[in-house]
Amino acid sequence: MSIEIIVLAAGQGKRMHSALPKVLHRLAGKPLLAHVLAAARTLAPRRVIVVHGHGGAEVRAAIGDAGVEWVDQAEQLGTGHAVMQALPRVSPDAEVLVLYGDVPLVRADTLRRLADAARGGLAILTAEAPDPAGYGRIVRSSGGRVERIVEHKDATPEELAIREVNVGFLAAGAAPLGQWLARLKNRNAQREYYLTDVVAHAVAEGVAVNAVKAAEWQEVTGINSRHDLAILERAYQNAAARRLLEAGVALADLWRLDVRGELECGRDVSIDVNCVFEGSVRLGDGVRIGPNCVLRDVSVAAGSEILAFSLLENAEVGARCRIGPYARLRPGAMLAEEVHIGNFVEVKASRFGAGSKANHLAYIGDAEVGSRVNIGAGTITCNYDGAAKHRTVIEDDCFIGSDATLVAPVRLAKGSYIGAGSTISKDTPAGELTVARARQITVPRWKPPRKG
Ligand code: UD1
Ligand code: CA
């Protein structure tokens, strides 16, 4: 039987106090809904249908196509009503899995267990809640069989004492699910069509209800507030830190690390406190990351060191480089081996050959820098004339004195030696010293002005 998945995401998320639809709030840099969709996809479903309501257009735009079908639930009349909006899209012979878009950390193997438990009946996902307040409680018979789910607001004091709660996810055949849904009534405290009432309908028909218990609470925690989100973010980051430590990465502090994407590390990588890794980051063997660095879609080859307070984005760093402190590598910075980029140096869309250095206070943009080039403090490429960007070519073994201004397009031939303070607007010849600055003069017998 093929699996089709319905994800409920129409709720407003009032308690977030935000203009952003709840499922678009980010955990580990990714919208909550995107986490759920990623887990859903591991089951290779034939169809994924997302039910949206509040901010539907915004949700669709943020998630993109991603092989998802969208259904609008204009009025939020309850979880059962939400599933009914999607069910006409589902093939009658499919097995349906209902998930929530605001439960981001659910694991693929849990979804698999839930799907397997539904065979021929109804499966619900439950968990032992540390604090069950607000959740639907699982009411079992004296023999331990699941009888029904009672919502917090409808529960008796005895039922409120139950700690096994409804996560909200369920799995069943599309045809019987449709029949149970058709019988829902909204005669309850919230005047809603509760999806949870399908359990009692299934039991009344003598259908087996299998409760699958989640292994840990975090996995099935739904986000209702920014506080929930902050707690879950730390839980996620702590799990990421633990995985890195187990794989041999040295972390200065496992509580002060943020991975918002994929971080792949070689042997003996060390990461100091407060670093943020976004997108896809690869660190080779022996790479050391200093405190307070941000790396977004970057690869750093073996033996390189990124010193404190550096920001690297869409860049490639070769082996045994030294970057920072306070360096900024912008998109298209491509560094070969043993390159040094020092404090307050910004590099954009530029290649550096092996062994080249820009150690202090420089801006190198749209440039081709050869090998063994030395770029003095304060040197900048003037790559933009107000309309177009132009390239600067600095061939191998050039030496550029401090505070040079390189007006692009311009080429410094191999071994060019540029005097400090020069404004270079014409190509320079190989191996020669070029100086382009006013000559120094001393005015003889000059007298300072006098007052009065
Ligand atoms: C629901 C369950 C409760 C369970 C809890 C777990 C019901 C009646 N109750 O309660 O047993 O313990 O989840 O978090 O199902 N949604 C829609 N359309 C609607 C209403 C909700 O799409 O009309 C979506 C929400 O966006 C959310 C999910 O369904 O993703 C759950 O809705 P929510 O209002 O949070 O349900 P609870 O009252 O918390
Ligand atoms: Ca909820």
Side-chain angles (χ1 to χ4, degrees), residues 39-364:
R41 262 182 225 114
T42 62
L43 298 184
R46 185 159 62 182
R47 195 173 266 135
V48 178
I49 304 164
V50 177
V51 181
H52 63 57
H54 285 277
E58 209 179 328
V59 174
R60 281 202 305 273
I63 298 298
D65 177 30
V68 168
E69 294 176 34
W70 303 94
V71 171
D72 190 45
Q73 186 195 19
E75 257 189 300
Q76 277 80 59
L77 303 179
T79 47
H81 179 261
V83 174
M84 279 193 267
Q85 308 313 300
L87 215 56
R89 302 277 193 103
V90 173
S91 338
D93 64 339
E95 178 179 328
V96 180
L97 229 70
V98 176
L99 313 180
Y100 290 178
D102 56 4
V103 180
L105 297 188
V106 66
R107 284 174 1 198
D109 62 304
T110 303
L111 295 184
R112 169 55 61 196
R113 283 199 292 134
L114 182 65
D116 290 346
R119 305 261 179 248
L122 170 63
I124 58 171
L125 187 63
T126 73
E128 291 293 329
D131 172 11
Y135 285 88
R137 310 296 207 281
I138 309 298
V139 181
R140 290 178 182 261
S141 69
S142 51
R145 271 181 299 122
V146 174
E147 287 190 321
R148 60 195 169 86
I149 299 174
V150 60
E151 289 305 294
H152 184 107
K153 288 183 180 153
D154 302 301
T156 62
E158 298 83 69
E159 288 165 342
L160 288 177
I162 299 171
R163 290 174 62 100
E164 187 186 4
V165 302
N166 175 37
V167 169
F169 295 8
L170 59 76
L177 182 61
Q179 287 159 18
W180 301 326
L181 286 171
R183 281 179 223 151
L184 296 186
K185 300 272 178 338
N186 67 348
R187 286 196 298 260
N188 51 52
Q190 302 183 81
R191 298 252 149 267
E192 285 184 1
Y193 295 93
Y194 289 167
L195 176 61
T196 44
D197 285 348
V198 301
V199 172
H201 290 303
V203 169
E205 280 180 11
V207 172
V209 178
N210 295 319
V212 171
K213 268 203 185 171
E216 45 164 36
W217 179 244
Q218 263 150 24
E219 181 195 0
V220 294
T221 304
I223 304 290
N224 290 314
S225 65
R226 289 190 190 263
H227 182 256
D228 291 343
L229 187 56
I231 297 285
L232 221 54
E233 176 77 29
R234 271 310 100 200
Y236 175 96
Q237 295 302 345
N238 198 234
R242 202 170 311 166
R243 277 196 301 277
L244 288 169
L245 289 163
E246 276 161 13
V249 177
L251 299 179
D253 183 347
L254 82 168
W255 292 105
R256 283 184 288 167
L257 168 82
D258 287 87
V259 181
R260 301 173 191 155
E262 310 298 324
L263 172 60
E264 215 183 284
C265 294
R267 286 179 78 88
D268 294 307
V269 166
S270 72
I271 300 173
D272 213 323
V273 298
N274 296 334
C275 292
V276 179
F277 299 91
E278 297 184 343
S280 161
V281 175
R282 272 183 301 138
L283 306 179
D285 293 347
V287 166
R288 281 164 297 164
I289 311 289
N292 303 297
C293 291
V294 178
L295 279 71
R296 183 179 303 135
D297 295 310
V298 164
S299 74
V300 182
S304 285
E305 185 169 16
I306 314 295
L307 298 162
F309 296 101
S310 294
L311 169 58
L312 286 68
E313 187 181 0
N314 268 295
E316 262 175 51
V317 176
R320 300 178 304 285
C321 288
R322 201 179 68 216
I323 312 298
Y326 300 100
R328 179 167 183 210
L329 299 187
R330 289 173 51 199
M334 314 269 272
L335 314 181
E337 317 77 67
E338 288 167 26
V339 168
H340 292 181
I341 301 293
N343 38 247
F344 308 108
V345 174
E346 174 181 345
V347 178
K348 185 216 79 172
S350 297
R351 283 175 182 279
F352 273 65
S356 289
K357 299 180 171 67
N359 274 325
H360 336 263
L361 302 153
Y363 170 61
I364 306 298

